Amino acid sequence: MLQVSNLTKSFPTAAGTLSILTGVDLSLAPGEALAITGPSGSGKSTLLYIIGLLDTPTSGTVRIADQEPLALNPAQQAAFRNRHIGFVFQDHHLLPQCTVLENVLLPALGEGGRGVGPEEEKRARTLLERVGLGARVEHRPAQISGGERQRVAVCRALLNKPQLLLADEPTGSLDQETAAAVGTLLLEVAREEQAILVCVTHSRELADRFPHHHRLRGGKLEAAPV
């Protein structure tokens, strides 16, 4: 379960305090998927980064897997994030010197990872087969297309079987057909893996495919108009 309660985020400026989030509440169960839309600067990515422990709120709580990870120290947060949270960004952030398979295996080497063993490699290969990249495991990022790189990023995010999958504009740099395929992939694998999926997007077309769609406006989440 993901539970966000009365989350706020503000910044001091020369003109006074700038409030980005003013009391966000959110609750999602395993297997549920939520798209968040809103204008640029509304705080969508800020909210996602706080939920993903990449930023801190001014106030409020985030509970993931019955824990409050924001109360942990930085090293503990890094280990928690690696075990429980998967990220997919607009920029795939693949390491150019590593093969497709090596990129997918990277979370196993991070804080709290179990290391790369037969089980981790089997899962990485299975995920790559699942997204049609079984024949690309020895290729490097420069040798595959943008859509294929994004599929590799999805596999990497899923390697450690995260309970929470966060996607920040995952289709923003893709053409329409490839974007549709990546959107389908995210929804399918999150449902199959029973992960909670939260996706920030400017694409109304992608957001409308999600069973839940909220808009961030005035620092709060509200149900998006149909």
Side-chain angles (χ1 to χ4, degrees):
M1 179 73 81
L2 168 66
Q3 292 179 308
V4 177
S5 301
N6 198 28
L7 205 68
T8 71
K9 181 69 173 182
S10 58
F11 301 93
T13 70
T17 300
L18 174 64
S19 295
I20 303 298
L21 305 175
T22 60
V24 172
D25 295 304
L26 175 63
S27 180
L28 292 170
E32 290 192 310
L34 167 69
I36 298 175
T37 57
S40 296
S42 61
K44 301 185 301 300
S45 292
T46 298
L47 173 60
L48 202 71
Y49 282 30
I50 291 174
I51 294 173
L53 311 182
L54 295 176
D55 198 353
T56 55
T58 302
S59 63
T61 60
V62 175
R63 291 187 65 84
I64 302 169
D66 293 323
Q67 298 184 61
E68 292 190 20
L70 288 171
L72 302 174
N73 65 43
Q76 291 171 327
Q77 283 191 15
F80 183 95
R81 185 168 52 240
N82 197 40
R83 284 196 305 269
H84 297 285
I85 304 173
F87 288 91
V88 181
F89 300 99
Q90 180 173 348
D91 186 338
H92 50 77
H93 295 297
L94 300 182
L95 297 183
Q97 71 273 27
C98 294
T99 66
V100 163
L101 179 61
E102 289 168 343
N103 269 287
V104 174
L105 286 168
L106 285 173
L109 301 173
E111 287 281 350
R114 296 181 297 178
V116 176
E119 183 178 342
E120 287 72 28
E121 183 167 342
K122 179 181 179 182
R123 177 162 173 79
R125 290 182 181 275
T126 298
L127 288 168
L128 288 167
E129 288 282 355
R130 164 72 177 77
V131 302
L133 293 175
R136 296 280 201 270
V137 292
E138 297 302 325
H139 286 62
R140 285 179 166 67
Q143 297 172 308
I144 59 178
S145 70
E148 289 172 329
R149 289 192 287 269
Q150 197 65 313
R151 280 184 271 161
V152 174
V154 173
C155 292
R156 180 183 58 194
L158 291 167
L159 181 74
N160 284 344
K161 300 182 180 180
Q163 292 165 295
L164 177 61
L165 182 61
L166 304 176
D168 188 13
E169 298 289 356
T171 63
S173 60
L174 304 175
D175 63 77
Q176 186 174 5
E177 183 177 351
T178 304
V182 169
T184 297
L185 172 62
L186 283 168
L187 287 163
E188 286 182 352
V189 295
R191 183 173 61 250
E192 291 168 6
E193 300 270 335
Q194 280 297 286
I196 296 168
L197 171 61
V198 181
C199 177
V200 162
T201 181
H202 278 101
S203 170
R204 181 63 191 246
E205 183 177 357
L206 174 61
D208 284 344
R209 299 175 62 189
F210 277 65
H212 303 287
H213 175 196
H214 289 176
R215 178 178 173 84
L216 187 59
R217 186 170 67 172
K220 295 181 182 292
L221 282 178
E222 57 185 33
V226 177

